[in-house]
Amino acid sequence: MILNSGKNGEMTAMLAGFKIAVKEYLEKLVTSPVRSLADVIAFIESNPDLEKTKEYGQYTFIASEKTNGFGEKEKKAIELMEKLTRDGFEKLMTENELDAIVMPGTRGIGVLAFGIMFGGLRGFEPK
């Protein structure tokens, strides 16, 4: 398991996918002052107080804007994540015949304010 999103492929795939998703979303808007991620970045830079740039920054937007879709690097990142999932989480779940796994965490979907997360295999909802 690689928890570092920069080493497990998650960040690479997320940045490329984010830029594409924002473009698709903005294209569907009838009227909007922004039409691309670059426009969003420029708007934020022009309105730092309104957009609370000092508190939140826009690293993810800028890093995503530098991507060029899903090329070889992004495909390899997705393949790595699939391998890590198959050989890690899925293997743990199937070899131990688990329905769900509970773990401490603050990322993802947590349970109330208890600071725990749970997950299971895709398609295996409670019966």
Side-chain angles (χ1 to χ4, degrees):
M1 179 185 322
I2 302 172
L3 297 177
N4 182 320
S5 63
K7 293 183 180 178
N8 66 13
E10 180 182 7
M11 186 61 71
T12 299
M14 189 274 302
L15 291 173
F18 181 75
K19 182 177 181 179
I20 293 167
V22 167
K23 180 181 183 290
E24 290 173 357
Y25 170 78
L26 292 173
E27 285 175 349
K28 293 177 185 176
L29 297 178
V30 176
T31 58
S32 174
V34 294
R35 288 292 176 190
S36 68
L37 185 54
D39 291 345
V40 172
I41 292 167
F43 179 86
I44 292 170
E45 287 174 353
S46 298
N47 299 280
D49 293 334
L50 175 66
E51 296 299 326
K52 299 186 178 189
T53 308
K54 286 183 182 176
E55 291 95 325
Y56 302 110
Q58 57 176 341
Y59 165 79
T60 301
F61 289 0
I62 293 168
S64 183
E65 177 59 25
K66 292 178 182 178
T67 66
N68 292 311
F70 283 94
E72 270 312 300
K73 178 181 175 183
E74 291 76 16
K75 288 177 186 173
K76 287 183 180 185
I78 291 170
E79 288 172 4
L80 174 60
M81 288 188 298
E82 289 171 345
K83 179 183 182 329
L84 291 171
T85 299
R86 184 179 55 251
D87 296 344
F89 184 74
E90 290 177 4
K91 184 176 179 181
L92 172 75
M93 296 294 290
T94 55
E95 285 182 358
N96 293 286
E97 299 179 7
L98 301 174
D99 293 323
I101 189 167
V102 178
M103 62 202 112
T106 57
R107 295 177 67 188
I109 299 173
V111 179
L112 302 173
F114 297 113
I116 61 172
M117 294 175 36
F118 63 96
L121 295 175
R122 186 179 344 167
F124 286 84
E125 299 299 322
K127 297 173 176 112

